Amino acid sequence: MSTATDIREQVVELAREFAKEKIEPFAAEWDRTHFFPRGVIDEFGRLGFLGMCTPEEFDGMALDTVTYLMVLEELSAADAAFAVSIGIHNAIPMTMLVKHGTPEQKERWLKPMARGELLAGFALSEPEAGSDAAGLRAQAVKDGKDWVLNGAKAWATNAGTADLMMIMVRTDQPNARRGAKGISTFIVPTDTKGYTPAKPEDKMGLRSSNTAGIELNDLRLPVDQMLGDEGMGFVYAMEGLDAGRLGIGAQGVGIARRALEHCLQYTNERKQFEKPIGEFQAVQFKLADMATRIEAARALTHRAAARKDAGEDISHYASMAKLFASETAMWVTTQAVQLFGGYGYMRDFPVEKLFRDAKVTEIYEGTSEIQRIVIARALRQR
Ligand code: CAA
């Protein structure tokens, strides 16, 4: 009989092999050409990886959160852009549906998502509502048995490539500005009339992931496509982001780990002053600090995941994990570019992409400043 440890090892090994064969060799080219590898995502999904933590009764793999993060680390080490499409789908729309979906919604949306037949995304931000997410203005108005949505969303991962988006809009009185209380969540298939994704953003990093705004133009949905209770959408989004932020923590660890691996190899091979640069203590100290910070970031992220699996409220632990791991990714990749010197600044060498990919981990799913706010508020409430 397989133990939980055996299952973890098998799943992570499967993801590692998949990443090594089907993702990493192509990642630089996808990055250069902005190619979104939907076919590879679908193939990964058919192995079960689009339903990683989803309960078995909804066709998921029912993995624990630590195993899920270990898979995301492997993907991120290969290509952080690939990892984010998988991570968002698994963490945010999935968490929202598992927790708040009706039995019919679970049958119709959650099960095909977990089987890898539907790719999902999440749209909270707007051009004027980034860190202040409760300031969003897209509006839904009741019309008979339907809701009609209008407005503009921004920077939504998978917006132009997903089959399904979870979209947060106001359902209070138009122009009421009642903050977090007046927001609801809708399940929106992307082929619904009135859903128009904008041109994909031209980003610094994660260039092969799809990030786009969305125009909602008289988009009509039956009432049974609202998720959970009216007015609770902000809370559902925050719960989803708690899970999402752990995933970004693992993404930071994966990016940083790969940068260190490249540096270990390079500093053994690169000779200056007639010896490998890895023999210089200044270089060794950098490598030692990189490895130590990565280890700490992974431990913090996994500790928060274990708390989640134990049923604890992890909001500020997820923020700590994301904050520390994303700042680790940025620091480690900056050192990596430095160690590679002139070569590090060139597109031909892999650390340049890792450096660009690392930056967004300090920005999306809540900036480092927002994570500090969440942590500080939790401390002051004790
Ligand atoms: N879980 C459950 N409920 C939560 C919660 C959580 N983690 N966080 C807040 N809430 C609840 C609060 O308890 C409160 O409910 P009550 O009034 O009933 O007590 C309600 O939500 C409002 O909370 P706040 O008063 O704390 O709201 P705020 O306006 O002060 O905002 C914030 C708090 C932490 C700053 C929040 O706005 C935030 O996280 N901002 C960053 C947004 C963000 O991460 N955006 C990223 C979008 S996704 C993305 O990047 C694109 C992508 O596709 C990757």
Side-chain angles (χ1 to χ4, degrees), residues 290-316:
M290 289 159 101
T292 305
R293 291 191 195 205
I294 293 167
E295 203 60 31
R298 185 185 291 114
L300 191 61
T301 310
H302 288 192
R303 177 85 183 109
R307 287 181 192 272
K308 179 172 190 288
D309 288 336
E312 291 179 40
D313 173 5
I314 55 135
S315 292
H316 75 285

Side-chain angles (χ1 to χ4, degrees), residues 88 122 124-125 130-134 155-157 180-181 234-235 238-239 241-242 245 315 364-366 370 374 377:
I88 296 279
F122 163 78
L124 173 67
S125 305
S131 289
D132 180 15
W155 308 305
T157 303
K181 292 280 183 248
F234 186 80
V235 171
M238 291 296 123
E239 289 169 352
L241 281 167
D242 286 346
R245 288 168 183 169
S315 292
Y364 67 3
E365 298 209 20
I370 289 295
V374 173
R377 281 186 186 174

Side-chain angles (χ1 to χ4, degrees), residues 201-223:
E201 300 291 353
D202 186 8
K203 307 189 295 282
M204 171 192 287
L206 301 193
R207 290 171 68 77
S208 66
S209 74
N210 179 273
T211 307
I214 307 166
E215 285 294 326
L216 306 170
N217 204 346
D218 287 335
L219 187 148
R220 186 171 283 271
L221 295 173
V223 285

Side-chain angles (χ1 to χ4, degrees), residues 7-36:
I7 291 169
R8 173 176 293 172
E9 276 174 13
Q10 285 162 14
V11 168
V12 176
E13 180 57 25
L14 181 62
R16 187 182 299 125
E17 283 304 311
F18 189 95
K20 212 163 83 185
E21 267 179 43
K22 311 227 165 167
I23 303 173
E24 193 156 14
F26 310 101
E29 180 62 16
W30 294 343
D31 178 74
R32 252 192 306 276
T33 55
H34 291 210
F35 175 73
F36 182 77

